[in-house]
Structure formats: C-alpha cells, structure tokens
C-alpha cells in the first residue's frame, strides 16, 4: 500500500470508524465473542491429537451463520494432511482493483500435557482476571478476534473500500512437519495475496500498576537458520593420540564463532524501537540507547545494552550460537566424527548464504564443513516499511483508547508466519493491541494465559484499526 497522501486523512478515517471504542469494548456482542473464543480454544489443534480442520470448520460455521456464502468460505488442506486445514474467508471491497488486507492468525497450538498443568489445558478457565488454556494467547486470541470482527462487519453492513481476507492457518508451531502459509504460497498463492497483512508478533506492555505503557507494532523479523558444522577423521586407538583430532577442530571452530559479534545494523523497526524505548528507560540505559543510535558501531554501548537485556542485542545484529554438539563413537577411540548445530537468527534482508560464508571465514579450516540445514522459506525479504499509512492510524487509535501510551515499533527476534509472507513480497505487520504484564503470557509453557481485559481491549482495537485501514485511499 502506498504512503498516505496527508495526515489529515488518517484523522478522517479514524473519525469515520463506525463505533466509538468505548462502546466496542463493552458492546452487546461480547457474549457471542466469548462463546466463539471458548469454542476455538477448546478445540484441540495440537499436532499429536488435534485437528485444525475441525477448528476451521467451526469458525466457518459461525461466519456462515452471519451471512457469508460458500463462495466466500473455503477450507484448504493437502490431500495427505486432511487434519491441517486452513480457513480462508473474504469480505469483498467496494474497489475490486485494490488488493485486500490479509488478517492472519494460526490456530494450531503447542503440545500440552494434562499431567503437567494445574488446569486442563484444553478447557478455557477464567480465573482472577485471566483466561487460562493452551492457545488462550498464542494465537487463538487473535484468531477469535479476527473471526468475530468479520462477523460484526457483515452484520453491520460495513462495506470496506479495500476487501478483507481472513486466513486461519495451521502448522505455525511445527513448520518442519507442515505449515499452511508456506504450502499455500507454493500451491495457491492467490489465496494469500494481499496489499499487506496483520499478524501476531507484537503486543503491549503494562506498567507495575497494570496501566498500558507501550503498544508495539512489529515490522520485520529475523530469519531462522541452522547450520551444521562437521569434522571427519580416520580416528584410531585412544592410546595412540595424533595431533589431528576431530573434537579439537570442532571446538576451535566453535570458539571462533563464539568470540565473534556480527555488526550492528538498524532498520525502520529497530530504529523506531530504540528511539522510543530511550524515552521509557532509566537515564543510564537511555544514554546507551542514544549512543548506539548516534553511532551503530559504538560497541561499548552495545555491550552494556547486551548485559542489561540479551533481547536488545538480538535486535541490533545477526546472532549465531552453538546449541548442540555430538562427537565420538567410543570412550576408548579417537573420534571419527564431530558435529555441532549452530543456530543463527539473521537480520531481515540478509541472505543465509552470506552468513554461512561469514562462518566459514571465521573458522578458517577447510576440514570443518559448514552446511545449511533445511528450513521452509519463500525467500529473504526486507522488513516492511512503517509508512504513515500504517503507523499513523495506530498512533491515533492508541491515544484514543489508552491516552499517553507510547507506540513502539519493534522487530521480532523469533519467528512467525510473517517470514513467509515477507519473503513472498507481502508486507506483514505484527499488531494486536493486547497488553501483558511483566510475567507475560506463558506462551509455549505451562498455564498459558491472557488478561481478560487485554483480550477485550485487543478485540476493540483490531476491530477499529482494520476498519480504518480498509477505508483508506491509496
């Protein structure tokens, strides 16, 4: 989507949103939303025993009851993986020449063992102001909100200028087995084609008193890539050691990698993140953030930030770290083989092969073979730009809902399905309006949770912001 022509249009579009935010947060449809959310969360979609297709079918039924026809609803899955279905639902726009906005959320969840949880992980429990269940936050919160929003738009007769496309997908948590977004981009790219996408990847921070402090918008994420280091050797009897030892060679290679720091580099998201974070941080931390903004190669400031928060270091540079080592075949034999896995999180826009070549150069030993492990990818894309058309409405709506909150651009150091979209040339932004306290959501862990108020606020925020985006001019 091209940049907004003038800031005044942002205000106009925001004012044109159909319903005041205060009303949206407590409207009569909240009970219906809670029912939808519960049904989705309590449908097991874990890889071992669940079915995304079942969950997608239940959401499709709710959309059909709201007036969506069969032509606007489809569940897509590979013939050999019928349980991994993705729901695609569309609300056509008034201007068919404009690409739609993609509302993306995955409905699969990480495995959860009942014996490890204090509560049944597949029964939604509301307790002490929180919802608890596997997927309560990651990512069925956004999936439920997007589905609910499409129902509300249809019931209200909202006719967006730019169409809306909902994709509830499967396999985000287990991409090495199957991933809907990757599969659809390879087999049915028109299904996900969009001007831009809104996905998971960013939430909000609460202060110590539970007040919204910072609202994040994610623009870009690091690329996940594993590299295998391998050394082979004839070996021999351990009573007759020789200078050429596979373990020693591998250890030396890992030591050189461990001692190296990739150069720091900013993009739109990280530049915005550290600029805004400096305004929220204690004076000593803020000073280092401003120093690194003024000189990205100020390694002393970067090192202090790293010591304060490893996540800040990860946002500033590509990182590579040894995660697994395997060597030798017997305690009384010289090793014939030694291997290690080095996990790299690569800054967006940098090709994995470039990083591999850097590792080869650092190691400086031809007997250490460095190879890239397979990772589903649609390409390496540059982080999407934070244009006025994207950032402006978020800032305006955030001030309307949470006066005084700071909007903070960010780049994810982990991975979401946005990496596939960005690699395919579809800008994808992480944006939820759902705030967490310092303890977080426990996503992927025990007793996953989300604040009830945060979920309802996110429902109100996403409902409004999508309307604004869908009503914008080019």
């Amino acid at each position: 989507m091209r940049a907004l022509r003038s800031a005044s249009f942002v205000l106009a579009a925001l004012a044109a949103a159909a319903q005041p935010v205060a009303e949206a947060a407590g409207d009569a449809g909240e009970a219906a939303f809670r029912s939808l959310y519960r049904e989705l969360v309590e449908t097991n979609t874990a890889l071992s025993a669940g079915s995304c297709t079942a969950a997608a079918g239940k959401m499709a039924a709710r959309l059909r009851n709201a007036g969506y026809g069969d032509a606007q609803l489809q569940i897509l899955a590979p013939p050999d993986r019928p349980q991994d279905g993705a729901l695609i639902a569309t609300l056509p726009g008034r201007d068919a020449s404009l690409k739609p906005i993609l509302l993306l959320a995955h409905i699969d969840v990480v495995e959860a063992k009942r014996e490890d949880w204090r509560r049944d992980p597949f029964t939604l429990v509301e307790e002490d102001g929180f919802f608890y269940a596997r997927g309560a936050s990651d990512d069925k919160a956004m999936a439920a909100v997007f589905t609910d929003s499409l129902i509300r738009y249809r019931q209200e007769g909202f006719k967006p200028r730019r169409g809306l496309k909902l994709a509830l997908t499967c396999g985000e948590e287990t991409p090495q087995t199957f991933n809907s977004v990757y599969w659809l981009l390879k087999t049915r790219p028109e299904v996900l084609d969009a001007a831009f996408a809104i996905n998971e990847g960013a939430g909000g921070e609460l202060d110590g008193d539970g007040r919204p402090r910072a609202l994040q918008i994610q623009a870009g994420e690091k690329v996940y890539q594993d590299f295998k280091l391998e050394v082979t050797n004839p070996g021999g009897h351990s009573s007759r050691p020789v200078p050429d030892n596979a373990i020693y060679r591998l250890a030396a290679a890992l030591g050189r990698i461990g001692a190296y720091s990739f150069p720091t580099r900013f993009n739109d998201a990280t530049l915005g993140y550290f600029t805004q974070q400096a305004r929220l941080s204690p004076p000593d931390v803020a000073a280092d953030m401003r120093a690194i903004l003024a000189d990205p190669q100020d390694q002393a400031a970067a090192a202090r930030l790293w010591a304060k928060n490893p996540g800040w270091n990860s946002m500033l540079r590509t990182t590579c770290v040894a995660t697994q080592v395997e060597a030798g075949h017997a305690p009384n034999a010289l090793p014939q083989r030694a291997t290690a896995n080095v996990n790299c999180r690569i800054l967006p826009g940098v090709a994995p092969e470039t990083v591999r070549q850097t590792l080869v150069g650092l190691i400086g030993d031809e007997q250490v073979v460095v190879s890239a492990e397979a990772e589903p990818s649609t390409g390496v894309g540059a982080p999407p730009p934070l244009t006025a058309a994207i950032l402006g409405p978020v800032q305006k709506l955030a001030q309307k809902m949470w006066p005084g909150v700071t909007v903070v651009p960010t780049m994810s150091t982990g991975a979401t399905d946005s990496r596939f979209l960005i690699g395919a040339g579809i800008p994808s932004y992480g944006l939820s309006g759902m705030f967490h306290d310092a303890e977080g959501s426990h996503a992927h862990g025990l007793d996953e949770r989300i604040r009830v108020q945060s979920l309802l606020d996110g429902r109100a925020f996403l409902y409004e912001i999508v309307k604004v985006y869908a009503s914008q001019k080019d």
Side-chain angles (χ1 to χ4, degrees), residues 5 25 31 49 56 152 214 236 257 272 315 328 343-344 390 392 402 454-455 462:
R5 297 287 192 267
R152 295 166 70 188
I257 293 172
M315 291 182 71
N343 177 246
C344 295
I390 294 294
W402 307 290
S454 292
L455 178 63
L462 289 171

Side-chain angles (χ1 to χ4, degrees), residues 331-350:
N332 58 351
L334 300 178
Q336 297 171 358
R337 185 180 307 274
T339 64
N341 187 82
V342 173
N343 177 246
C344 295
R345 305 299 177 115
I346 304 169
L347 288 176
V350 177

Side-chain angles (χ1 to χ4, degrees), residues 33-123:
F33 168 69
R34 283 171 172 259
S35 171
L36 183 156
Y37 175 63
R38 177 178 295 277
E39 181 176 42
L40 182 58
V41 169
E42 293 187 348
T43 302
N44 188 337
T45 53
L47 178 64
S48 62
S51 172
C52 288
T53 302
K58 292 175 182 179
M59 296 301 100
R62 287 183 177 265
L63 289 165
R64 189 173 288 109
N65 289 339
Y68 287 84
D70 290 342
Q72 297 166 320
L73 301 169
Q74 51 183 329
I75 295 177
L76 302 173
D80 60 337
R81 301 196 65 85
Q83 77 279 11
D84 293 335
L87 170 64
I88 308 297
T90 57
L91 179 62
R94 302 191 310 273
D95 189 342
S97 68
L98 298 176
K99 286 188 175 183
I101 299 168
L102 178 63
L103 308 179
L104 176 67
H106 70 86
I107 53 176
D108 65 304
V109 297
V110 170
E111 300 288 349
K113 295 182 179 180
R114 176 65 186 93
E115 60 269 25
D116 296 336
W117 283 55
R118 286 183 290 172
R119 310 164 186 86
D120 182 346
F122 296 103
T123 299

Side-chain angles (χ1 to χ4, degrees), residues 146-216:
F146 283 150
T147 305
D148 173 73
S149 292
L150 254 66
I151 290 171
R152 295 166 70 188
Y153 298 151
R154 185 68 181 228
Q155 291 173 338
E156 296 164 4
F158 173 58
K159 299 186 183 303
R161 183 168 186 269
R162 186 185 296 274
L164 299 174
K165 184 184 293 184
L166 172 67
L168 302 183
T169 59
C170 194
E172 195 271 351
E173 304 292 5
T174 54
Q176 297 292 354
T177 300
F178 172 77
N179 180 278
S180 284
V181 175
Y182 177 76
W183 175 72
L184 288 169
L185 286 170
K186 290 295 185 182
T187 62
R188 298 283 302 275
E190 76 283 356
V191 168
L192 298 181
D193 191 28
F196 66 93
I198 302 175
N199 188 22
E200 64 171 335
E205 298 176 7
L206 299 169
D207 65 18
D209 296 320
R211 293 186 298 258
R213 173 176 177 264
L215 174 66
Q216 296 179 341

Side-chain angles (χ1 to χ4, degrees), residues 19-27 400-401 460 464:
Q19 183 174 20
V21 174
E23 293 178 13
D27 67 2
K400 185 177 180 182
M401 290 189 67
E464 295 284 353

Side-chain angles (χ1 to χ4, degrees), residues 4 16 20 22 88 93 100 143 149 217 244 248 258 261 286 306 323 330 347 376 381 401-402 414 440 450 463:
L4 194 62
I88 308 297
S149 292
I217 175 171
D244 188 11
Y248 296 159
S261 291
W306 188 351
T323 55
L347 288 176
M401 290 189 67
W402 307 290
I450 188 172
Y463 167 86

Side-chain angles (χ1 to χ4, degrees), residues 196 279 378:
F196 66 93
R279 299 172 183 171
T378 54

Side-chain angles (χ1 to χ4, degrees), residues 266 270-271 273-298 301-302 304-305 312 316:
F266 286 105
T270 54
L271 186 65
Y273 176 85
F274 283 99
T275 298
Q276 296 296 344
Q277 200 66 37
R279 299 172 183 171
L280 300 171
S281 299
D284 60 330
V285 176
D288 283 333
M289 288 183 173
R290 294 189 179 103
I292 200 78
L293 286 165
D295 178 10
Q297 302 314 313
D298 186 338
R304 289 191 292 270
L305 291 174
W312 290 339
L316 286 169

